[in-house]
Amino acid sequence: MVWLLSAGLHPGAGPSTMLVAEDLAGRMDYRRGIAIYDLDGIVRRTGLSRATVKRHIRILRELGSLVWLVRGSKRNLASPGEPYMATATIYGAVIPPAYDDAMGHRLDGTGYQARVCGVTPAGRELAVAASAARSADREATGRRNRRVRPEVRRTRTSRGMGARPVDNPTVDNSCSASREPHSPGLYHQSPDVRVESGCKDTSRKRASCRKAPRPSFEISYNSDGSRRTAGQTRQGIGIVQQVRPRVTWTQRASLRELEVALRPFTDAGWDWPTITAELHSWHLTWRPARPAAYIRARLAQQATAEHQSAAAELAEGWDEQEASGPLAASSPDLVRSVLDGLAEGLATYSARQAELGLDDLSDHSAAADMAAFLNSWTGAPA
């Protein structure tokens, strides 16, 4: 930051910018390079106004030394019945390309994922000069210590002190003010920070223009191709708010993710008790790491199975309407149809028995009895 301010890369940067940067640096996690915004805390600790702090945070972003990682929200993100919960805005500390170019750093990657992988010839010369300066400083410090040590011994002997006085001269490193810490490399054991949104290294053209380009948003559509309205999304989230606390293995997913995954149910008009019963009927004895993705995969498998079953029935010539026709008929017609089938079957059986010489022992005809019964029950001629 000292180098950026002295280079004059931004006309609005000044002592207040450095004050805000020092406050962020004092609370920063240097293993991951992140710091929580804490606007009210910066105002209280630095004595600057809220507008001033916001302005210099923007200047730090435009300088390329600060990147926005997570956007905070004051909305209550807790489940029903839990206390108020909000999220904090998180910034990441980065090194702008202007500094890497000036120091001769060779980078691997672009944007926030760039890492220092070497130095250019100019950077090697700077590193050699800095190393020589540090060696000269160490030698000068050693000579001063050697001149002071005999006097220290005499002082200790004359006073009879058991402890030796400590001489801590100030080390004058003239080149330390122009250097900054190296960019974080791959040797860190902590996981990399996942950038959810924001940008790094805002260009001068975009930083100076009055109208920045508006971000593009993804438009959701219904199954029939119509555009999904905000009211439908709000209604779906209201249903999901009742489902998630009652289905344990879905509580790792956010309301928005579950609303998208359960749209086949909500679009079909299912209420939250029906959806809850359907999810419980899956009988999960484990917790998916990504519940929304699991629900989408499960529904896709069910849709594929139903499609394959319909294709098999079509190939076999199965007509569901024709097969269910007798069941939809009125009761007298259905009984008449069944009895006619029985009478036809008995007549066929009797004729075959007669061909085989296995006639009934009596002269009584079962087919005639069936025809008489049909005439008496339905009141129609045989």
Side-chain angles (χ1 to χ4, degrees):
M1 281 306 304
V2 174
W3 184 90
L4 290 175
L5 294 179
S6 61
L9 299 179
H10 197 288
S16 297
T17 308
M18 191 66 187
L19 193 61
V20 173
E22 289 175 349
D23 185 87
L24 291 174
R27 299 179 288 106
M28 185 170 296
D29 180 3
Y30 283 95
R31 290 182 59 84
R32 294 179 294 173
I34 62 175
I36 298 177
Y37 186 11
D38 190 15
L39 174 60
D40 295 335
I42 296 177
V43 172
R44 184 176 61 256
R45 287 184 293 268
T46 60
L48 303 175
S49 64
R50 293 175 63 89
T52 302
V53 172
K54 292 180 180 179
R55 182 170 64 255
H56 288 285
I57 287 291
R58 175 178 56 81
I59 291 174
L60 289 174
R61 292 182 59 188
E62 293 175 355
L63 279 172
S65 61
L66 202 64
V67 62
W68 171 65
L69 298 179
V70 179
R71 187 180 186 87
S73 175
K74 293 185 178 180
R75 295 182 57 188
N76 187 5
L77 303 180
S79 300
E82 295 184 0
Y84 177 82
M85 182 186 301
T87 57
T89 299
I90 299 178
Y91 284 106
V94 292
I95 296 179
Y99 180 82
D100 290 323
D101 295 339
M103 297 295 107
H105 294 164
R106 195 187 305 276
L107 301 181
D108 180 18
T110 59
Y112 188 70
Q113 302 299 329
R115 296 294 181 264
V116 175
C117 62
V119 294
T120 61
R124 189 176 297 108
E125 294 178 0
L126 292 175
V128 171
S131 178
R134 287 195 298 270
S135 299
D137 290 340
R138 284 196 297 268
E139 292 178 0
T141 303
R143 286 194 297 269
R144 288 195 298 268
N145 290 338
R146 283 194 296 271
R147 287 195 300 269
V148 172
R149 190 174 296 114
E151 183 180 353
V152 171
R153 288 199 189 99
R154 288 194 298 271
T155 304
R156 182 186 61 180
T157 305
S158 61
R159 294 184 181 181
M161 297 175 60
R164 179 179 175 181
V166 178
D167 185 16
N168 188 17
T170 303
V171 178
D172 183 14
N173 191 349
S174 60
C175 62
S176 63
S178 61
R179 296 200 311 272
E180 292 291 329
H182 295 290
S183 300
L186 300 178
Y187 52 83
H188 291 286
Q189 299 298 325
S190 59
D192 294 337
V193 178
R194 188 178 70 175
V195 180
E196 297 181 356
S197 56
C199 59
K200 177 182 179 293
D201 301 334
T202 306
S203 62
R204 296 297 298 272
K205 181 179 179 181
R206 181 179 174 185
S208 59
C209 67
R210 295 184 178 180
K211 294 183 179 179
R214 299 182 61 184
S216 59
F217 299 94
E218 183 179 356
I219 300 176
S220 300
Y221 294 93
N222 297 317
S223 57
D224 57 355
S226 61
R227 184 170 177 175
R228 194 170 188 85
T229 62
Q232 291 176 322
T233 303
R234 205 162 37 242
Q235 182 181 3
I237 291 179
I239 295 176
V240 172
Q241 285 179 338
Q242 302 295 328
V243 173
R244 189 174 68 170
R246 292 171 173 83
V247 183
T248 307
W249 56 268
T250 64
Q251 294 175 1
R252 290 185 178 181
S254 63
L255 293 176
R256 181 62 173 172
E257 291 176 342
L258 287 179
E259 189 273 331
V260 175
L262 295 176
R263 279 181 182 177
F265 294 154
T266 56
D267 291 346
W270 291 22
D271 53 1
W272 67 264
T274 308
I275 297 176
T276 303
E278 173 66 19
L279 297 180
H280 280 304
S281 67
W282 293 356
H283 301 292
L284 290 186
T285 58
W286 53 285
R287 294 194 176 204
R290 300 172 58 190
Y294 175 78
I295 292 174
R296 289 195 298 269
R298 184 72 176 259
L299 295 180
Q301 291 178 356
Q302 293 179 0
T304 302
E306 293 175 358
H307 177 72
Q308 293 176 352
S309 177
E313 292 177 356
L314 182 62
E316 295 175 357
W318 174 265
D319 190 353
E320 185 176 358
Q321 185 176 2
E322 181 180 355
S324 61
L327 299 178
S330 60
S331 180
D333 294 340
L334 179 62
V335 174
R336 176 73 188 208
S337 176
V338 172
L339 294 179
D340 285 342
L342 290 175
E344 183 179 356
L346 288 174
T348 303
Y349 176 76
S350 298
R352 183 167 180 76
Q353 292 294 94
E355 292 176 359
L356 298 175
L358 300 175
D359 294 338
D360 294 337
L361 298 178
S362 63
D363 296 334
H364 192 69
S365 176
D369 291 342
M370 182 63 66
F373 175 76
L374 291 175
N375 292 334
S376 64
W377 191 83
T378 59

